Amino acid sequence: MAVHGTTEATAVRTPNRGLRWLRRNIIAIAGLCTLGYLILPNIVVMVFSFNKPNGRFNYQWQRFSTDAWTDPCGVADLCGSLGLSLQIALWATVGATVLGTMIAFALARYRFRARCGVNTLIFLPMAMPEVVMAASLATLFLNMGIQFGFWTILIAHIMFCLSFVVTAVKARVMSMDPRLEQAAQDLYASPLQTFLRVTLPIAAPGIASGALLSFALSFDDFIITNFNAGSTVTFPMFVWGSAQRGTPVQINVIGTAMFLVAVLCVVVGQLAGARKRSKRS
């Protein structure tokens, strides 16, 4: 009877132990599954960048080849559209970051009559569908008689990215301790010195996150660009157009290179942060 009772107790404890382990790690398991689901398309793109299809469509694996990697600009206008997208994304990031940072400081530090209205207007581009903003900007450019092209795309991207920069920088500025700036002023620092040596370094993470988000949003935007591009072709528009005729392998090469660069930037940032934390400790 004692042996039988011990066996039953062990059988009861074993599933309970498994359930406790599952409850402790359910969030980590769900996070890993979600991360794997998000990374899976990038892995597929990476694998098919080494494919050599028999026809125009790169949807079925045929045989391994590095021809696309050795000649990434082998498709006409691909690298031209890529360079144009990078140029627009860079200038849109600069414009949105400068304007968004100034707006964020004004909204966080000053009280004025239209402050609530400005906060609402800043939030609208993030809340409304992109097609609404794209059509509104296209109508504005048409009424003003502005020819569609590089500058209309750039202005549209700055207007679209502005809200994201303001939100990121404003959150960082509102969490700053004002006593740090007051201490700098007590030490006879000028307003410019206080801003450059105290305020700006503290707000830098928010500004950097807003700038990186602006670059990513501008580079891969299609809807706003399609409404305001005219005959100008950016990289997302080139991908959309080529998908109808047959997706070249070089597009997978460019996508894989962009993914690897993004991963490298994240790894470098994590290593730099860990190194700073180790020095402080």
Side-chain angles (χ1 to χ4, degrees):
M1 291 295 294
V3 174
H4 182 66
T6 305
T7 305
E8 289 183 351
T10 305
V12 170
R13 283 198 301 267
T14 301
N16 288 341
R17 185 181 303 172
L19 288 175
R20 286 196 299 270
W21 180 89
L22 184 61
R23 289 172 183 173
R24 285 197 304 267
N25 299 278
I26 186 65
I27 297 178
I29 294 173
L32 290 175
C33 292
T34 304
L35 183 62
Y37 178 77
L38 293 175
I39 293 179
L40 183 60
N42 297 295
I43 297 176
V44 173
V45 170
M46 188 180 303
V47 171
F48 275 85
S49 67
F50 294 97
N51 185 30
K52 188 170 184 178
N54 293 328
R56 295 179 301 169
F57 296 96
N58 186 26
Y59 299 147
Q60 293 182 353
W61 180 264
Q62 300 295 334
R63 57 187 181 275
F64 180 84
S65 176
T66 58
D67 294 343
W69 282 92
T70 56
D71 189 17
C73 296
V75 180
D77 298 330
L78 188 149
C79 285
S81 62
L82 177 63
L84 180 63
S85 289
L86 290 173
Q87 185 179 358
I88 291 175
L90 179 61
W91 286 111
T93 299
V94 173
T97 302
V98 173
L99 293 175
T101 300
M102 292 190 293
I103 294 173
F105 271 95
L107 292 175
R109 293 294 181 84
Y110 299 98
R111 299 291 182 270
F112 49 91
R113 234 174 240 184
R115 184 168 176 266
C116 294
V118 173
N119 277 320
T120 303
L121 292 175
I122 288 296
F123 179 73
L124 281 179
M126 296 188 297
M128 70 174 63
E130 284 189 43
V131 66
V132 176
M133 185 175 185
S136 302
L137 289 170
T139 304
L140 175 65
F141 294 141
L142 283 173
N143 291 332
M144 296 180 64
I146 300 176
Q147 185 178 2
F148 289 107
F150 176 86
W151 293 106
T152 55
I153 298 175
L154 180 60
I155 294 172
H157 283 201
I158 291 175
M159 297 299 296
F160 174 63
C161 298
L162 191 62
S163 300
F164 296 91
V165 177
V166 172
T167 303
V169 179
K170 182 184 173 184
R172 182 67 178 180
V173 173
M174 293 185 68
S175 64
M176 292 171 54
D177 189 352
R179 291 176 295 182
L180 298 175
E181 296 173 307
Q182 295 171 2
Q185 295 171 1
D186 291 339
L187 296 174
Y188 303 102
S190 64
L192 181 61
Q193 290 176 329
T194 303
F195 177 77
L196 293 178
R197 297 189 178 185
V198 179
T199 307
L200 189 59
I202 298 176
I207 297 173
S209 62
L212 291 175
L213 185 59
S214 297
F215 185 86
L217 291 172
S218 175
F219 180 80
D220 71 346
D221 181 79
F222 173 77
I223 298 176
I224 294 178
T225 306
N226 191 35
F227 272 78
N228 299 278
S231 59
T232 305
V233 179
T234 61
F235 184 68
M237 295 179 66
F238 179 87
V239 174
W240 177 78
S242 64
Q244 302 177 9
R245 303 183 301 269
T247 306
V249 184
Q250 282 80 359
I251 290 180
N252 296 67
V253 173
I254 300 298
T256 301
M258 293 166 53
F259 174 72
L260 294 178
V261 169
V263 172
L264 180 63
C265 291
V266 172
V267 171
V268 170
Q270 292 293 328
L271 292 177
R275 186 175 180 181
K276 288 183 179 179
R277 288 192 295 269
S278 63
K279 286 183 178 180
R280 292 175 184 174
S281 60

